[in-house]
Amino acid sequence: MDDRLKQLLVLGREHYERREYDLAEHALRQILEKTDRFADVFNMLGVILHERGDFLAAEAHFERAVQLNEHYTEALLNLAVTYNDLGKYEAARQVYSRIRRGEGDGGVLDPFARGKIANMHADLAQAYADAGCAQEAIAELKRAVALCPTFVDLQLRLGTMYRDAGDLPLAREHYAAACDANPKYAPARVLLGVALHSLGASEHAIAEWRQALVIEPDNKTARMYLRMVEAQRSGSTGDAVSRDSSPTITRGGSWDALDEATPTEVSDLLSTMTADAAEETDHPAPEGKP
């Protein structure tokens, strides 16, 4: 390799790592004028083109990178992402299988590969959810969670999908897994508390909401749920409503509605109260944000 080519490679990679894509592309295309044997040059150009939304050109570059190095995991993953973007879902699945075979019987072992594939499953789940295909969305999120069980956001998304489908025990299971993955993440404890309360485990729900407030003292949702349940249990519902001056109680239903509600209705009522409470308490002060 001549010195000029080495300089262009170093320059192209440096600009690429800094996300200076225009400068990186200028150097990388000069390399292609001299040789087309560097797989990472095609992969970097593919990423640049993908960032610009030119999926067809990105596809061609990733395919060339994989032709040059069939074990190039990053290029394979980028190719699978691009196939998904182009609606070539079967081709994407074949690439996933190819990656898994390359990792041996143990499955996808590399953390980078696992994370990227898990996020692709999550993206596909969102596409299914947007199309109204709830069961397909759940199936994709289950694959994502299986790859990366410590990803809190994936556990929470799967829990919420189960909750919305009416399967509260599984929702609770995944909310609990999110809390195990990150015990200091207050929103996960709030959601776990809602699931527990909906399942009739009010004491455990209260414990989760109190823990959420220990972690995040300004968590309005946890505070509101605690006021709701404790007022209901003490029989001082009217006082609690008067003290908060909140329109949410009558808008979403009274606290007493929780007694006769189904688990799903409880979750819906709590969600309505949360949204309304946020609307009531988030009014900025005169010196606040514009």
Side-chain angles (χ1 to χ4, degrees):
M1 185 190 306
D2 63 43
D3 290 341
R4 175 57 179 163
L5 196 56
K6 289 179 182 178
Q7 290 173 357
L8 287 170
L9 274 171
V10 170
L11 190 62
R13 288 167 179 160
E14 286 181 350
H15 285 309
Y16 177 82
E17 290 299 326
R18 295 172 186 157
R19 298 182 66 83
E20 298 168 348
Y21 287 158
D22 288 341
L23 295 173
E25 183 180 18
H26 180 70
L28 295 172
R29 293 206 178 278
Q30 290 183 70
I31 295 170
L32 289 187
E33 292 175 1
K34 296 176 176 290
T35 178
D36 64 351
R37 305 305 300 173
F38 290 105
D40 67 330
V41 170
F42 282 99
N43 181 65
M44 287 185 284
L45 281 169
V47 170
I48 292 168
L49 291 163
H50 187 278
E51 283 284 314
R52 294 176 182 163
D54 191 348
F55 298 147
L56 286 173
E59 175 189 29
H61 283 75
F62 292 138
E63 286 177 341
R64 179 57 179 158
V66 170
Q67 288 172 0
L68 291 169
N69 182 355
E70 62 181 9
H71 302 297
Y72 194 168
T73 301
E74 185 177 355
L76 285 165
L77 288 167
N78 288 334
L79 180 58
V81 170
T82 305
Y83 281 152
N84 267 330
D85 290 332
L86 291 169
K88 299 180 178 181
Y89 300 122
E90 182 56 36
R93 290 190 185 95
Q94 290 176 6
V95 175
Y96 297 153
S97 298
R98 181 173 173 180
I99 295 168
R100 296 184 74 93
R101 287 196 303 270
E103 293 289 348
D105 295 335
V108 182
L109 301 179
D110 175 67
F112 172 82
R114 283 203 309 270
K116 197 155 188 177
I117 292 176
N119 285 327
M120 285 190 283
H121 280 302
D123 289 342
L124 188 53
Q126 187 61 54
Y128 275 125
D130 291 343
C133 304
Q135 291 307 311
E136 289 82 356
I138 287 173
E140 290 298 332
L141 276 175
K142 285 173 66 177
R143 295 185 182 100
V145 166
L147 284 167
C148 295
T150 61
F151 279 24
V152 173
D153 62 324
L154 296 180
Q155 292 282 9
L156 291 180
R157 286 175 64 181
L158 183 54
T160 299
M161 288 293 298
Y162 278 126
R163 183 201 66 191
D164 292 346
D167 194 334
L168 286 170
L170 277 177
R172 176 189 59 190
E173 178 181 321
H174 288 284
Y175 291 151
C179 292
D180 290 341
N182 186 353
K184 298 297 185 182
Y185 188 56
R189 294 196 176 275
V190 172
L191 287 171
L192 177 58
V194 172
L196 288 165
H197 184 80
S198 300
L199 288 165
S202 294
E203 290 293 344
H204 294 296
I206 289 170
E208 292 299 334
W209 292 329
R210 285 177 176 165
Q211 184 59 32
L213 288 174
V214 170
I215 298 165
E216 190 178 295
D218 294 330
N219 191 297
K220 300 173 188 175
T221 307
R223 190 184 308 122
M224 185 196 66
Y225 288 165
L226 278 171
R227 284 202 306 266
M228 174 197 71
V229 175
E230 290 171 351
Q232 181 190 23
R233 289 161 66 105
S234 68
S236 58
T237 302
D239 292 341
V241 174
S242 175
R243 202 165 45 241
D244 290 339
S245 301
S246 171
T248 65
I249 310 308
T250 55
R251 196 185 314 179
S254 70
W255 299 131
D256 294 335
L258 290 171
D259 291 335
E260 295 81 31
T262 66
T264 301
E265 289 168 341
V266 170
S267 293
D268 291 343
L269 184 57
L270 290 173
S271 297
T272 300
M273 292 173 179
T274 303
D276 290 341
E279 181 181 311
E280 177 67 16
T281 58
D282 282 346
H283 294 308
E287 68 274 16
K289 293 183 291 185

